[in-house]
Amino acid sequence: MKTPRDWVTRPLSQFVSLQRGFDLPTHARVPGSVPVLSSGGVNGSHNEAKVDGDNFVIGRVTNIGRPTWSSVPFWPLNTTLFVKDFLGNFPKFCFYWFLATDLSGFDSGSVQPVLNRNYIANIPVAIPSFVEQRRVAGVLGALDDKIESNLRTISLSESLILAHFSQLFNSGHVSAGTALSDLMEVNPRYSLKRESLAIKVSMQDIPSDSPIINTHSVMPVGAGSRFSNGDVLFARISPCLENGKTAVVDFLSGSEVGFGSTEFIILSPRGEISTTWIYALAREPNFREACRQAMSGSSGRQRLSADFFSRYTIATPKEFDLVAFNKATMPLLTLMGARRDENQRLAQLRDALLPELMSGRMRVDEAGRLVSEALDEEV
């Protein structure tokens, strides 16, 4: 399908005006609420903004051409390009154009690939009217807004689980120290036949500081650790342990078992010690610091032994407090899983609509109906 007649085609330099970001080494940053944007997204904060909100950066050194949006004023690092002038175009439409366009082949070709704005200045861009740009961005933005809302729900649910966990130890109803290996199973053995199907999980499937597993890939069982629904995966290597790589196994794609990286320690619930209790413990700063100090091995690749869990003791809440904790927190875990799966479906729809809308192959009315149906189904 050709570009619609009411769209115009212009070079990228007449679509947006790009400018390189600004130096800001870590030691020069002043505590503040202004996000610092790098090629990989938010990279800390500062007390001063260089660019107003409702703008974005694209990766210049890594993640070449990949955009990161900011609705608030921000500081763009020199590893990025930001939009200096939208030249009369709707900002969010421009963001989605970069999201839909692969610019990775326009690097400098040197040992350290760099995106030069002059290299992409003449790329042709099909541009609808400003009104149509707003409508396109509105349809795609409705999906992103819902995804963002779900992420806030996930974050709030996790905060509530951690708050309930902290309250357990302030109740006064705790026993003397008990070894963790007596409270939970550490690296339990699961019998999975080689020819059986299971979810494969690797370290990159788990983002830092999140319980979300970003995979539903089912395949024949291979080498690696074995785990099942309700287990907790706890990263045992540096730097993943320090970065908070921890996840609850909660597969909703027809499989109850998984396999994958041996760089996780598998922690399985036992008795009244629940999945959420183990997960909250794994996120607790003092516990994580104890794990860090117990690591051994060469610098940059240290490792936590599973034996640590037989040496580490913890004051254990009474059974009636654990029952109350589980009753309050397990529904939160279920909610987090539901919002995770909803986000995966919404992201798949957005990614499918993105190239169609940005090229004009699909018009806004048709896409809007699909989005409305999807959002109605998820409510």
Side-chain angles (χ1 to χ4, degrees), residues 151 154-156 158-159 162 203 205-214 233 235 239-248 279 282-285 288 336:
L151 290 175
I154 290 170
S155 178
L156 177 59
E158 180 179 28
S159 297
L162 299 182
M203 193 67 77
D205 292 324
I206 302 176
S208 297
D209 300 320
S210 171
I212 307 303
I213 295 178
N214 290 329
L233 309 184
C240 295
L241 185 150
E242 294 94 322
N243 291 342
K245 289 266 191 175
T246 309
V248 172
Y279 179 76
R283 306 288 291 132
E284 204 278 321
R288 194 171 286 281
M336 293 165 76

Side-chain angles (χ1 to χ4, degrees), residues 28-87:
R29 300 180 190 182
V30 179
S33 59
V34 175
V36 176
L37 300 189
S38 70
S39 292
V42 177
N43 186 327
S45 60
H46 190 46
N47 71 332
E48 178 188 355
K50 283 286 192 179
V51 180
D52 290 336
D54 291 336
N55 201 329
F56 61 91
V57 301
I58 63 172
R60 189 180 72 84
V61 177
T62 57
N63 295 314
I64 286 179
R66 188 73 177 176
T68 298
W69 177 264
S70 180
S71 59
V72 298
F74 62 93
W75 183 295
L77 287 179
N78 63 347
T79 58
T80 70
L81 298 172
F82 69 93
V83 181
K84 183 180 180 181
D85 191 337
F86 286 97
L87 304 177

Side-chain angles (χ1 to χ4, degrees), residues 192-319:
L192 294 179
K193 295 181 179 179
R194 284 278 181 169
E195 63 272 16
S196 62
L197 296 177
I199 302 289
K200 183 176 182 181
V201 179
S202 59
M203 193 67 77
Q204 63 260 29
D205 292 324
I206 302 176
S208 297
D209 300 320
S210 171
I212 307 303
I213 295 178
N214 290 329
T215 182
H216 280 93
S217 55
V218 180
M219 57 187 63
V221 174
S225 300
R226 307 286 195 267
F227 34 84
S228 180
N229 277 344
D231 290 349
V232 174
L233 309 184
F234 184 71
R236 70 193 305 172
I237 61 168
S238 179
C240 295
L241 185 150
E242 294 94 322
N243 291 342
K245 289 266 191 175
T246 309
V248 172
V249 180
D250 175 32
F251 300 135
L252 300 178
S253 61
S255 176
E256 294 185 355
V257 293
F259 71 100
S261 176
T262 57
E263 295 174 341
F264 294 115
I265 292 176
I266 316 302
L267 305 175
S268 187
R270 176 190 292 164
E272 296 301 335
I273 297 298
S274 64
T275 298
T276 49
W277 192 94
I278 296 174
Y279 179 76
L281 171 69
R283 306 288 291 132
E284 204 278 321
N286 291 332
F287 174 73
R288 194 171 286 281
E289 174 62 19
C291 292
R292 189 191 67 79
Q293 293 185 12
M295 297 176 80
S296 61
S298 58
S299 177
R301 191 66 176 179
Q302 293 187 309
R303 193 177 187 89
L304 179 69
S305 169
D307 292 341
F308 168 81
F309 290 84
S310 62
R311 301 193 305 269
Y312 188 91
T313 60
I314 188 170
T316 312
K318 297 299 182 181
E319 183 174 332

Side-chain angles (χ1 to χ4, degrees), residues 24 41 48 56 72 77 134 164 320 325:
L24 186 63
E48 178 188 355
F56 61 91
V72 298
L77 287 179
R134 290 185 63 175
H164 282 296
F320 61 85
F325 171 83

